[in-house]
Amino acid sequence: MRDVVKSDRAPAALGPYSQAIKVRGSTVIYCAGQVALDPTTGALTGGTAAEQARQVLANLKAVIEAAGAHLSDVAKTTIYLTDLNDFQAVNEVYASFFVSDPPARATIQVAGLPKGAKVEIDAVAVLP
């Protein structure tokens, strides 16, 4: 019923979850949240929320591409920030990845994220 999607261009899951799930017979890909981990070392990268957002979106892009999709296929994202004061800086980075027709989105402030990250983003992509 479903295929686990794995990319070595994105960090391995930190717990009992998959990077993404592609549902067979469906066109929907559910991507787990990504934080700013270096795919090779597993270390948190970037000191600012903007720097972390750039790595987060690169990781998310790698997972989506491993599922056979592209960022342009993303229909919905959720951004989790530990400080909503970083909203504008993250928006600027986000806009550089979703240049035209960006997906629907929610942004939520949270008390904490894995590995002390400042930003986490998950996504749902729909294949044409």
Side-chain angles (χ1 to χ4, degrees), residues 14-44:
L14 293 176
Y17 61 89
S18 300
Q19 289 176 320
I21 296 293
K22 184 175 181 179
V23 180
R24 278 186 237 137
S26 173
T27 58
V28 180
I29 301 161
Y30 299 93
C31 299
Q34 292 289 321
V35 295
L37 299 182
D38 179 286
T40 305
T41 67
L44 188 66

Side-chain angles (χ1 to χ4, degrees), residues 3-94:
D3 295 317
V4 174
V5 177
K6 295 181 183 178
S7 172
D8 59 2
R9 294 184 6 226
L14 293 176
Y17 61 89
S18 300
Q19 289 176 320
I21 296 293
K22 184 175 181 179
V23 180
R24 278 186 237 137
S26 173
T27 58
V28 180
I29 301 161
Y30 299 93
C31 299
Q34 292 289 321
V35 295
L37 299 182
D38 179 286
T40 305
T41 67
L44 188 66
T45 65
T48 68
E51 292 167 342
Q52 287 191 11
R54 192 168 316 287
Q55 182 66 56
V56 167
L57 287 161
N59 292 345
L60 196 58
K61 181 177 186 269
V63 171
I64 288 168
E65 288 175 351
H70 301 282
L71 285 179
S72 61
D73 297 319
V74 174
K76 169 79 168 72
T77 62
T78 304
I79 299 176
Y80 306 91
L81 297 173
T82 58
D83 186 347
L84 276 177
N85 289 318
D86 293 326
F87 184 80
Q88 186 56 43
V90 170
N91 263 348
E92 290 173 18
V93 174
Y94 186 91

Side-chain angles (χ1 to χ4, degrees), residues 99-112:
V99 178
S100 64
D101 301 323
R105 183 182 96 187
T107 303
I108 302 165
Q109 181 170 315
V110 296

